[in-house]
Amino acid sequence: MAKEFLLVDGYNIIHAWDDLKELTEDVSLESARQKLMDVLSNYKGTSKATIILVFDGYLVKGNIGTVYEYNNIYVVYTKEAETADMYIERTTYDIARKNRVRVATSDNLEQIIILGHGAVRVSATEFRMEVESVNKHVREILESRKE
């Protein structure tokens, strides 16, 4: 049976969602990353997919790249000279033939490449609406249990 994966282009989403973009301007990039990690961790509570959040680490000299688990999602910082796009392209190529893979990004070139690998693209706007819909549904369930 095929597994489900959701790869999220971290900085692309941060710059596409107004509240996260404002956090980078008003507070820090780190706070926006943390908020996105929390949003995805909450979203994972209703999703069967393995969620992989990918951030660029390509400009950090000597960076060997890191992958770690944050609550119930995976967070990847790419290695020096590797962009998030490169990581996502390689990963979709490796896993999309045998698994269901969605990629959340609004990068047009990235969308074309991952579609060629058999993955499904979700724009940043579509993904935001999906996350908000899930959050609304969860709130409704919780409120109905209070009654």
Side-chain angles (χ1 to χ4, degrees), residues 57-71:
Y58 74 102
L59 291 178
V60 180
K61 292 281 185 210
N63 183 12
I64 60 170
T66 57
V67 178
Y68 64 94
E69 200 166 344
Y70 175 78
N71 294 333

Side-chain angles (χ1 to χ4, degrees), residues 12-30:
N12 185 275
I13 297 296
I14 285 173
H15 293 294
W17 290 6
D18 290 341
D19 60 327
L20 296 178
K21 188 176 182 179
E22 286 175 18
L23 265 179
T24 67
E25 297 163 356
D26 298 342
V27 183
S28 69
L29 182 58
E30 175 58 35

Side-chain angles (χ1 to χ4, degrees), residues 7-22 24 29 32-33 36 40 52-58 76 83-86 88-89 103-111 114 121-128:
L7 284 89
V8 178
D9 185 340
Y11 291 133
N12 185 275
I13 297 296
I14 285 173
H15 293 294
W17 290 6
D18 290 341
D19 60 327
L20 296 178
K21 188 176 182 179
E22 286 175 18
T24 67
L29 182 58
R33 282 193 300 255
L36 180 56
L40 292 176
I52 304 170
L53 174 59
V54 184
F55 291 111
D56 288 319
Y58 74 102
V76 174
T83 64
D85 290 353
M86 292 165 68
I88 290 168
E89 290 163 17
V103 177
T105 184
S106 285
D107 182 315
N108 290 330
L109 180 58
E110 183 71 12
Q111 290 176 354
I114 62 103
R121 69 129 186 111
V122 180
S123 74
T125 302
E126 292 168 328
F127 187 55
R128 182 59 181 242

Side-chain angles (χ1 to χ4, degrees), residues 3 16 31-32 34 39 43-44 48 65 73 80 104 106 108 113 120 132 141 143 147:
K3 293 182 180 179
S31 60
Q34 186 64 50
V39 165
Y43 175 79
K44 171 61 179 150
K48 295 177 185 173
I73 67 170
E80 180 182 7
S106 285
N108 290 330
I113 292 168
V120 175
E132 288 175 354
I141 290 172
E143 288 173 11
E147 296 172 355

